[in-house]
Amino acid sequence: MSRDCLLIRNAGPLSGEVTLEGAKNAVLVSIASLILADGLSRLTKVPASHDVYQMVKALGELGIAASFDERTHELVVDATTVSGVTVSPEIMKSMRASILLMGPLLARCGSARIALPGGCSIGTRPVDLHLRAFVKMGAVLIQDGDFLEARVNGQLKGCRIVLDYPSVGATENIIMAALGAHGITEIVNAALEPEVLDFIELLKSMGAQIDFTFPATIVVQGDARLRATTYCIMRDRLEAGTLLMAAAATGGSISIPDAPVSALELVLVKLEDMGHLITVGSQGRGVTLVATREMKPISFKTMPYPGFPTDLQAPMTVLMALARGTSSVHETVFENRLMHVPELQKMGANIVVSGDRATITGVKELCGAPVVATDIRSAAALIIAGLVAQGETSMTGTHHLFRGYEGLDEKLRSLGACIDFVN
Ligand code: UD1
């Protein structure tokens, strides 16, 4: 059956219990980092998302054997030999995270040839911070048509890199390059997202020496000889947030026993501010939400962690569109990440956008409409809107959903949602 269009109807409050997949934003870099370890590594809790398959394909193009069992969510990678450094444009253009192959390839092979990255169309999403750091570490960059080649004569050099902005991808890429560099690399103003910390734990399990100093500095010991490992990817805090918001919007209740609560703190505070009842499990693991029927307006600004995550801005906007009063959002992480707004407006939401800010005045109800998802999180937001709207919502652009979520439709159905793919 074609999965190009998702039909969503209001089936009342969602309720029940769900468990989470491994984190989409931790797994791609984790797969890329296995290039650094000689031998057979095993990642568990790997989500069966489209980007994971693309990353596995990319390893294949580098001559690295990889096999993914989507039933057990286990990925086995044998990086005993790496015979290529080029990844085809087909793969690179479908997934921006493919730039994360450059750091480990430079570290292990001394060169990398990759097409300029694609992925979600949110803002211009440059990779200048990654490239500037590689050049500072001694790499030479050559642009050849659609390809960007990075080469180092001998070994990369460890150095002090001060990031203009705590970019998640740049921090991860520099860490991987630094492990193969000679000497110590310090990354100042580094991203400290929970997924970056989980990735660092994976690298430590391979034998990497990585420390933190104040403020927001990551110190990487170079000349590392990394060994193969077995590692379980952290649970997806962004999937948890999406599911909590779906239950909240419908006036339902949800329990997520494996939710990584400490990684979700500000999101839970904002849900509480709206009036939802949040209960955290013992030892900080697991969360339950019982929704209020009268959501209060809130305001937030997206920020690097521990600020409000940009990835949950779009789903949260749907709740704000139904709150009693006027809310506001300031998107500071990505330009152009308010592309779900015109689609929500088609559904009757009262949202005024001015630059990177949105003012949202709650309406009594949304109405179903044909809408188009333009990135992973806008797809999640439009699904949530469809679950509370009167009438039917048909959403195209479903390929964005598959890039970041495994089986979100099934999980929502298990909570009582009426959501189906149609031809
Ligand atoms: C990662 C996440 C994404 C999340 C984002 C911010 C993955 C696979 N994706 O994306 O879901 O929304 O972190 O938490 O982990 N920037 C530059 N130059 C650069 C790099 C980034 O200007 O070289 C800018 C970007 O355009 C953006 C901001 O920095 O405006 C944040 O980007 P970054 O933190 O790098 O996000 P990603 O790693 O792409």
Side-chain angles (χ1 to χ4, degrees), residues 24-25 28 96-97 124-130 165-170 172 193 238 310-311 333-335 337 377:
K24 172 235 162 212
N25 282 358
L28 301 176
R96 190 187 131 84
T124 51
R125 304 190 78 165
V127 290
D128 56 315
L129 300 175
H130 305 233
Y165 184 88
S167 154
V168 170
E172 295 167 338
E193 262 61 11
L238 304 170
T310 174
D311 296 68
V333 178
F334 285 107
E335 53 185 279
R337 208 176 205 179
R377 308 302 168 183

Side-chain angles (χ1 to χ4, degrees), residues 245 248 264-278 289 292 295-302 307-309 312 316 319-320 328:
M245 289 172 196
L264 273 166
E265 268 183 323
L266 186 53
V267 173
L268 298 181
V269 166
K270 290 292 169 188
L271 287 168
E272 267 179 333
D273 287 350
M274 294 190 106
H276 303 295
L277 181 67
I278 302 282
L289 175 145
T292 174
M295 289 188 279
K296 293 188 211 122
I298 54 160
S299 294
F300 67 84
K301 164 167 158 175
T302 63
F308 193 94
L312 290 176
M316 197 64 153
L319 274 61
M320 295 155 104
S328 67

Side-chain angles (χ1 to χ4, degrees), residues 182-194:
H182 179 58
I184 290 172
T185 298
E186 288 176 299
I187 309 167
V188 182
N189 196 20
L192 297 174
E193 262 61 11

